[in-house]
Each structure stands twice: as structure tokens, then as C-alpha cells.
Amino acid sequence: MDNAAPPQHIAIIMDGNGRWAKKRGLPRTAGHAAGAESFRRIANYCRTLGVRYLTVYAFSTENWKRSADEVAGIMRLLGRYLREALADMEKNRVCFRFFGDLTKLSPELQKLCHDAESLSADYDVQVNFCLNYGGRDEIVRAASNFAADVAAGKYRPEELTEELLSQYMYSRDIPDPELIIRPSGELRTSNFLLWQSAYSEYVFMNVLWPDFSPQDLDQAIEEYHRRNRRFGGT
């Protein structure tokens, strides 16, 4: 870690909030509140390390299946965080981007997201929040939008390349994540960044997200640097 630069783009599946709360006899919403504080801690640490992009899985397209109380609690936490972020925008100077279909959110939350994006657009360090996001949904939307452009005469079908389709993704114009971290002990991708993760290095860690510390991030980055990234070559 002393001499190795961190990955330019780190992505994290923030998993384990509910189990963290259950272990302590607390409601699941308390776990999400603790997870929000863990995000603040890790986001600040990433900036200290010099990480250029941080992408976090905040709420998936499947998370709507959870109880109405839990979903409402998550949305309240998101609103509180965004209002605080907007108040501190000039001090923190972090660019906000949102990956996902925001139209399913309340009008108030949609406005907070759009305000955060527009007011922070010129800042360098970028945090991408995957909100009402699913990797398969993103690919379907990209293909649909390309098809619409073909119908409008902008492209011919045979002009489609990986590079062109990437421009239809929420992550257009930013590099794919080199490192994806999943805390909580689960060993699956859960529909996260399916397109972008083709050659990402995954590190799975047996720590619940609210307990995830800067030392855990250091450990994941150390593991990343031990990998031999061949991108299909030898």
C-alpha cells in the first residue's frame, strides 16, 4: 500500500445492514442508518487515498420487494444525506452522479438528486450512486435507446460496437471499475454493474457493511494489487 497507487475506480456493494441490525436486536432501519455512516467514512477515506471514482450500490431494482417501512426508511435516509450534501457541496467538492431509473422516486428525492448532479458537475472526485439500479435493466435500456437511434436514422445496426453501446450506459465517459468489493460474506454479484465489471477484480469480505472500516478497504486494495490482471491474455 505504501508504494502502490489505489485503483482509479472502486465499486462497493453495500451489503449486510439488515443482518447487522438483527444481530443487535434492532430494526432493519437502524442497520441502514449505520450503513449510511459507514458510507460517509469510506467515501472520505477514498478521497484521502486519491481514488478518482467511487460507485456504490445504494438501492437496487429488486429492493422494492422489501417491506414498505424498510423502503420508506431507506428513502428518508437518502433524502437526509442529500440535503446535508447539498449544504456542504462547496466545502466537500465531490461530483455526484446517479445510475438508475430515478422516475420511481418521489418528486422531492428526484429534485434533490438532480440538484446534486447539477451543482457538483465541475468537481473532480466523483461518487456514483446506483439508485433504483439493476445491471440487466441498464443493458436493456441501453439496447432500447440504441434501437431508437437506429430507427431515427442516427446509426445503422451494424455500426454497434462495445464502445458505442458503452455510451448508452449510465456510466458513459468514466472508466470501468478496477476493483469491486462485496462485504457481508455473500458470494454473488447481485445484478451490479454487469456490463462494466467484465474485467473487474472482485474481493468478497466477511464483514457486514456497517462495520466496514478503512482498514478493510486497505486489505481489499492490497488483495487487488496481488492479482495478475491479464484481460484475457497471458
Side-chain angles (χ1 to χ4, degrees):
M1 279 292 296
D2 292 340
N3 298 316
Q8 183 181 21
H9 185 177
I10 295 176
I12 303 176
I13 301 174
M14 302 186 296
D15 191 26
N17 295 339
R19 277 169 285 165
W20 183 92
K22 184 177 180 180
K23 285 175 61 176
R24 291 160 176 76
L26 299 170
R28 291 177 64 87
T29 50
H32 294 305
E37 290 307 311
S38 183
F39 164 72
R40 293 175 191 269
R41 181 169 63 246
I42 295 303
N44 287 332
Y45 187 59
C46 281
R47 182 170 58 179
T48 300
L49 291 178
V51 175
R52 179 73 173 80
Y53 302 94
L54 174 64
T55 301
V56 294
Y57 211 177
F59 192 86
S60 77
T61 49
E62 291 76 31
N63 286 158
W64 296 106
K65 300 173 185 176
R66 299 184 178 187
S67 72
D69 286 345
E70 183 175 355
V71 170
I74 293 171
M75 295 304 164
R76 282 195 299 271
L77 281 170
L78 176 63
R80 183 191 311 163
Y81 173 79
L82 288 174
R83 284 188 286 271
E84 293 172 359
L86 284 166
D88 294 335
M89 191 73 72
E90 185 60 30
K91 179 178 71 175
N92 293 329
R93 302 185 66 79
V94 172
C95 176
F96 281 60
R97 285 271 300 276
F98 295 88
F99 297 175
D101 180 9
L102 301 185
T103 64
K104 300 288 183 68
L105 306 182
S106 69
E108 179 189 9
L109 275 180
Q110 289 183 55
K111 185 177 187 306
L112 287 170
C113 291
H114 292 313
D115 288 349
E117 283 191 329
S118 62
L119 292 174
S120 66
D122 294 332
Y123 300 148
D124 291 332
V125 177
Q126 182 168 311
V127 177
N128 307 308
F129 296 89
C130 292
L131 186 57
N132 192 28
Y133 171 89
R136 287 183 173 181
D137 178 73
E138 179 181 25
I139 293 170
V140 169
R141 286 172 178 272
S144 177
N145 288 335
F146 174 74
D149 280 346
V150 169
K154 185 175 180 180
Y155 295 109
R156 298 189 306 275
E158 60 271 19
E159 292 182 281
L160 183 61
T161 62
E162 290 185 15
E163 292 73 20
L164 179 56
L165 191 59
S166 290
Q167 290 301 305
Y168 287 86
M169 301 291 171
Y170 294 119
S171 59
R172 58 190 173 275
D173 298 328
I174 70 170
D176 292 339
E178 295 103 320
L179 170 62
I180 298 180
I181 304 169
R182 179 162 194 162
S184 84
E186 300 291 351
L187 303 177
R188 57 180 178 270
T189 62
S190 293
N191 203 18
F192 181 53
L193 301 180
L194 298 183
W195 177 267
Q196 298 86 347
S197 64
Y199 283 102
S200 300
E201 297 294 330
Y202 274 87
V203 174
F204 297 96
M205 308 186 75
N206 194 25
V207 54
L208 300 176
W209 174 245
D211 293 327
F212 194 88
S213 68
Q215 290 74 29
D216 292 311
L217 183 63
D218 286 344
Q219 182 182 341
I221 294 174
E222 288 169 4
E223 173 60 26
Y224 165 82
H225 282 299
R226 284 193 288 268
R227 306 279 178 88
N228 181 13
R229 306 188 73 211
R230 298 185 299 275
F231 302 96
T234 56

